[in-house]
Amino acid sequence: MQQITAKHFAERLERGARQAARAGFDGLIVAPGPDLAYFADYLPVATTERITLLVIPAEGEPSMLVPALEHGGAAQTRAAGALRLIDWADGEDEYVPAAGLLRSDGRYAISDATWAMHLLGLQQKLPGARFEAISHALPLLRAVKTADEVDRLAAAGAAADATFEDILQVPFAGRTEVQVAADLDRLLREHGHSQVDFTIVASGPNGADPHHEPGERLIAEGDMVVLDFGGLQDGYGSDTTRSVHVGEPTDEEHEVFEVVRHAQQAAFEAVAVGVPCQEVDRAARAVIRDAGYGEFFIHRVGHGIGVTTHEPPYMVEGEEQPIEAGMCFSIEPGIYLPGRFGVRIEDIVVAAEDGAHRLNNSSRELHIVG
């Protein structure tokens, strides 16, 4: 896997300009957050009231406005040679140079993470300009991954798989959710993650809460335990879920697990280039509904992943965007029985011309832990 170089960032900036032009925008306005890291290899040391703004015009040279005291860091990025850096100093009206990078009557897609005060400042200087959120205007801005990006996501997925294989060897019974979550955090880092974003350990009745925060509950014999964990490795995300059982499961627990496993497989098999995203959700939901558990599947079946662990495209009813080769997203159906237990199985997959390929390959069987 090759290193991300200045050439990659120059290509991303050019691709962003082309996407803006095709969508009828005069350019992109990118504030600190995942989009800025993706296009400019840059995040300020701290996101403050001082404005930092990358402008990628549909035609012309990209420019990034930065506070003068942060010029040094911005100048050292791998993208610095592909854009023009413009400083502003404390005491100046920063919206004057910011407005100077834009057309007074232009139409721009702007980062969702832009501070309201900065957008309002631009609107005050450019009352004739129009601004639309990138997530609505260009939802596929980062959705279709290059081969290199897929390789990085695959490496992050392999590290998550290795983490799961290792966590099966630690004791569960008699320990708290927090303690097992700490093991997950440690193992993800040992396997190469630089950042751990979440380590859900949801035991027994807590498993019925899809986004349960690990707590002091003692895991006990007879518990189903949902493990959902991930983070960033080499700048790209992992996100996988496996459900394990402490001791032998009941017939009902085994049945619910098998329904979820078959639903996950059905959704995986539904992935094909040109198929609307919602069909992946529908495939999983049909299996769960037909088994009598439809009301207990309470979330979309998947989300995109890349430099963040949640980004477009979304596999959800109503999303008619066709799947494109290179899209990477989760498939994670679940059944949640309030007050009793939950089951979820999640893999990251990449769409290709010949169907889908899993980036998580750890066992999807129900594992018994001690």
Side-chain angles (χ1 to χ4, degrees):
M1 184 166 56
Q2 63 178 322
Q3 293 294 314
I4 298 177
T5 65
K7 179 183 176 183
H8 290 96
F9 286 101
E11 290 172 349
R12 290 177 182 182
L13 288 164
E14 291 172 4
R15 190 163 61 248
R18 289 197 302 271
Q19 288 179 276
R22 281 200 300 267
F25 288 90
D26 292 294
L28 309 178
I29 300 174
V30 183
D35 290 332
L36 190 63
Y38 179 82
F39 283 111
D41 187 33
Y42 181 62
L43 282 177
V45 175
T47 302
T48 70
E49 72 284 353
R50 291 186 175 99
I51 191 172
T52 296
L53 215 60
L54 169 67
V55 176
I56 307 174
E59 295 182 4
E61 182 183 22
S63 300
M64 187 161 68
L65 180 70
V66 297
L69 77 169
E70 295 175 0
H71 176 97
Q76 293 173 16
T77 69
R78 289 167 290 183
L83 51 83
R84 180 169 56 117
L85 284 179
I86 301 172
D87 295 351
W88 67 273
D90 285 354
E92 296 178 4
D93 182 348
E94 63 267 44
Y95 299 110
V96 172
L101 300 176
L102 307 173
R103 289 182 48 176
S104 60
D105 60 349
R107 179 175 177 239
Y108 294 93
I110 188 167
S111 291
D112 297 9
T114 307
W115 280 29
M117 65 181 289
H118 297 323
L119 176 56
L120 292 169
L122 289 173
Q123 289 177 323
Q124 186 176 41
K125 289 287 191 261
L126 300 170
R130 292 172 293 160
F131 304 93
E132 299 181 34
I134 278 180
S135 64
H136 295 293
L138 290 166
L140 303 185
L141 186 64
R142 294 186 280 112
V144 176
K145 305 305 191 281
T146 64
D148 178 73
E149 289 181 294
V150 173
D151 287 345
R152 293 174 192 280
L153 286 164
D161 287 348
T163 294
F164 176 66
E165 297 299 334
D166 286 350
I167 203 70
L168 293 175
Q169 309 308 315
V170 310
F172 278 71
R175 301 176 71 216
T176 66
E177 295 172 339
V178 167
Q179 288 173 318
V180 176
D183 287 334
L184 285 170
D185 186 295
R186 171 180 56 82
L187 289 166
L188 281 168
R189 295 180 191 278
E190 287 179 2
H191 286 292
H193 277 50
S194 59
Q195 177 179 314
V196 177
D197 292 332
F198 49 91
T199 52
I200 293 173
V201 178
S203 62
N206 291 338
D209 176 2
H211 282 173
H212 172 70
E213 286 287 334
E216 296 300 326
R217 183 183 185 275
L218 284 176
I219 301 170
E221 181 83 12
D223 280 347
M224 187 77 78
V225 185
V226 178
L227 306 170
D228 184 346
F229 49 95
L232 296 181
Q233 179 169 311
D234 198 22
Y236 283 78
S238 70
D239 185 1
T240 189
T241 306
R242 295 292 185 263
S243 298
V244 301
H245 200 275
V246 185
E248 290 299 321
T250 65
D251 289 346
E252 181 188 25
E253 288 171 326
H254 184 75
E255 174 192 335
V256 170
F257 184 92
E258 285 300 303
V259 171
V260 173
R261 190 168 69 87
H262 286 114
Q264 211 254 3
Q265 180 64 25
F268 174 74
E269 293 174 359
V271 176
V273 171
V275 169
C277 291
Q278 65 182 1
E279 294 301 327
V280 181
D281 184 278
R282 287 174 175 178
R285 206 165 296 277
V287 172
I288 293 174
R289 183 184 62 246
D290 290 349
Y293 295 99
E295 66 182 292
F296 304 111
F297 180 15
I298 56 177
H299 55 73
R300 66 194 175 203
V301 84
H303 58 80
I305 189 169
V307 294
T308 60
T309 49
H310 279 216
E311 62 185 46
Y314 297 104
M315 306 295 120
V316 65
E317 181 65 34
E319 180 51 80
E320 298 180 351
Q321 167 65 43
I323 293 172
E324 298 182 29
M327 286 183 173
C328 296
F329 48 87
S330 69
I331 297 179
E332 49 180 306
I335 293 175
Y336 310 95
L337 303 179
R340 302 182 61 204
F341 67 93
V343 174
R344 182 164 67 257
I345 301 173
E346 174 185 16
D347 292 327
I348 300 302
V349 305
V350 55
E353 294 296 342
D354 60 350
H357 301 276
R358 296 183 193 269
L359 300 186
N360 291 109
N361 293 290
S362 60
S363 170
R364 283 169 289 280
E365 302 298 322
L366 180 55
H367 287 266
I368 307 303
V369 297

